[in-house]
């Protein structure tokens, strides 16, 4: 989605012209998706052409921030700036597109806490003054 910049927090995204509206939205604690004004479909990852109809007539709109856990891996090897274990997940957003993110659980993540299709919602992690990461947490059932 963007080149990674190195920092004390680990690798962070570096916004590009295509992804800048997404990162501006996360900094404002809003999850935005590009929607095609021709076919009406949202998509993710951000790009300049709709993957559904190849139109370049796109508009950024707020997403609900809700979705379902599609798949995940519990990473037990610490990455720079991260404490293991942590969850790398694919979230199927309520609007349809899927996005890669992290899922937080109460305590250490376990498969018992991370049931496929469980409801999740976005929250925002202000990592630096410039970068806010969208992450997800399990919705209490």
């Amino acid at each position: 989605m963007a080149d990674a910049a190195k920092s004390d927090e680990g690798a962070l995204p570096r916004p590009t012209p295509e992804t800048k509206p997404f990162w501006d939205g996360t900094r404002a604690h809003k999850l935005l998706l590009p929607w095609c004004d021709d076919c009406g479909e949202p998509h993710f990852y951000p790009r300049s052409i709709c993957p559904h109809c190849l139109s370049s007539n796109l508009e950024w709109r707020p997403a609900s921030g809700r979705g379902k856990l599609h798949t995940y891996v519990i990473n037990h090897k610490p990455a720079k700036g991260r404490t293991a274990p942590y969850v790398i997940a694919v979230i199927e957003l309520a609007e349809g597109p899927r996005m890669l993110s992290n899922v937080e659980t109460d305590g250490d993540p376990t498969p018992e806490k991370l049931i496929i299709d469980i409801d999740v919602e976005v929250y925002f992690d202000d990592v630096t003054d410039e970068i806010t990461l969208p992450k997800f947490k399990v919705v209490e059932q």
Side-chain angles (χ1 to χ4, degrees), residues 44-129:
F44 193 84
Y45 60 90
R47 54 202 124 174
S48 58
I49 294 177
C50 172
H52 305 286
C53 72
L54 303 180
S55 170
S56 60
N57 191 14
L58 305 176
E59 176 185 8
W60 287 88
R61 298 182 198 164
S64 67
R66 298 179 86 49
K68 294 198 177 283
L69 180 62
H70 179 71
T71 190
Y72 68 92
V73 63
I74 300 173
N75 190 4
H76 293 277
K77 183 177 180 183
K80 183 178 179 181
R82 297 296 309 252
T83 302
Y86 60 95
V87 179
I88 303 166
V90 175
I91 305 301
E92 185 165 328
L93 299 172
E95 292 77 10
R98 293 178 181 161
M99 71 181 292
L100 188 65
S101 188
N102 297 110
V103 173
E104 301 294 327
T105 62
D106 290 331
D108 282 342
T110 64
E112 293 77 23
K113 295 178 183 176
L114 296 162
I115 300 164
I116 298 301
D117 286 335
I118 197 165
D119 291 329
V120 294
E121 64 184 359
V122 73
Y123 74 94
F124 297 94
D125 183 2
D126 297 314
V127 180
T128 69
D129 289 342

Side-chain angles (χ1 to χ4, degrees), residues 17-36:
E18 289 82 15
T19 64
K20 187 176 182 326
F22 176 79
W23 295 115
D24 288 347
T26 61
R27 198 168 59 239
H29 290 197
K30 295 178 185 174
L31 185 63
L32 301 177
L33 294 176
W35 288 72
C36 179

